[in-house]
Amino acid sequence: MIDVNELRKGVTFELDGRLFKVLDYSHNKPGRGNATIRTKVRDLRSGNVLDKTFQSGSQVQDIRLDHHQAQFLYSDGNLFHFMDSENYEQTAISAAVVGESSSYLKEGQEVKLTFHESEPIDVDLPASVDLKVVEAELGVKGDTATGATKSVTTETGLKVSVPLFVETGDIIRVDTRSGEYLTRA
């Protein structure tokens, strides 16, 4: 068991038979009474994002997780297929578990899979990925006192706001945590 005061972003725990990963965390101490811990959590099996509030002093069940390096092979709509880098076993993970990470996955990419009791429950992406721009709006120079941006679509279908000089065919680096443009690669 772990105290809810120890919950931080990225911590995985079990509550009422369901597995959750903390996406956001805030500790609130009102003038009177106990402190409350407000969290935004993702149910790792269904992919639903929920807000959970705990009273200070409450406890949740800590879980043991296994991590494996894997390579993304392909997606067939509902399932994403990965191959373990050590033993070459293939694992299929549902789109609900992969969630928003699917916008950053491209064939051959290395990721870290998280398992709980041999069940794949999460996909950890690298901090940034390089994606090819397949569609870009025309950037019009003009009355721009500050950095003007335009929207582009990448090879995975992700829409990113980028500077005007980025064109179709360019490779851009995107931050997987925020979805923001970092640089041209």
Side-chain angles (χ1 to χ4, degrees), residues 6-185:
E6 297 174 24
L7 293 179
R8 298 290 181 263
K9 188 174 181 176
V11 172
T12 305
F13 64 93
E14 184 177 4
L15 182 67
D16 300 329
R18 295 164 59 189
L19 299 176
F20 295 101
K21 181 176 183 179
V22 178
L23 303 176
D24 196 18
Y25 167 91
S26 68
H27 182 95
N28 299 315
K29 174 69 173 126
R32 290 183 163 178
N34 291 339
T36 57
I37 290 83
R38 293 192 177 143
T39 60
K40 182 179 280 190
V41 295
R42 181 166 54 98
D43 186 326
L44 292 175
R45 290 192 175 110
S46 69
N48 294 335
V49 176
L50 309 166
D51 290 321
K52 293 268 186 196
T53 303
F54 301 99
Q55 291 295 319
S56 181
S58 300
Q59 293 187 334
V60 292
Q61 182 64 45
D62 192 14
I63 58 172
R64 185 179 185 311
L65 299 174
D66 296 317
H67 302 283
H68 298 278
Q69 283 298 120
Q71 183 179 32
F72 175 60
L73 298 176
Y74 64 95
S75 169
D76 61 7
N78 288 344
L79 295 174
F80 289 79
H81 298 269
F82 298 87
M83 180 179 64
D84 191 304
S85 299
E86 292 178 13
N87 59 18
Y88 305 109
E89 288 183 12
Q90 290 191 16
T91 303
I93 302 177
S94 72
V97 171
V98 174
E100 295 176 4
S101 299
S102 63
S103 300
Y104 303 101
L105 288 174
K106 61 182 190 177
E107 292 179 8
Q109 182 178 9
E110 290 288 325
V111 297
K112 186 167 68 171
L113 298 181
T114 305
F115 290 85
H116 176 256
E117 298 176 355
S118 73
E119 173 191 3
I121 59 169
D122 198 14
V123 176
D124 290 330
L125 298 169
S128 63
V129 293
D130 294 345
L131 300 172
K132 184 175 183 177
V133 175
V134 294
E135 185 180 319
E137 297 175 352
L138 286 176
V140 180
K141 295 181 181 178
D143 302 325
T144 56
T146 61
T149 61
K150 64 181 180 179
S151 179
V152 299
T153 305
T154 65
E155 62 191 303
T156 61
L158 180 68
K159 294 197 181 297
V160 182
S161 182
V162 300
L164 295 176
F165 59 80
V166 175
E167 298 175 0
T168 301
D170 287 351
I171 307 288
I172 61 171
R173 184 161 293 145
V174 180
D175 187 330
T176 58
R177 297 164 295 207
S178 64
E180 294 177 355
Y181 166 85
L182 295 175
T183 184
R184 274 197 294 193

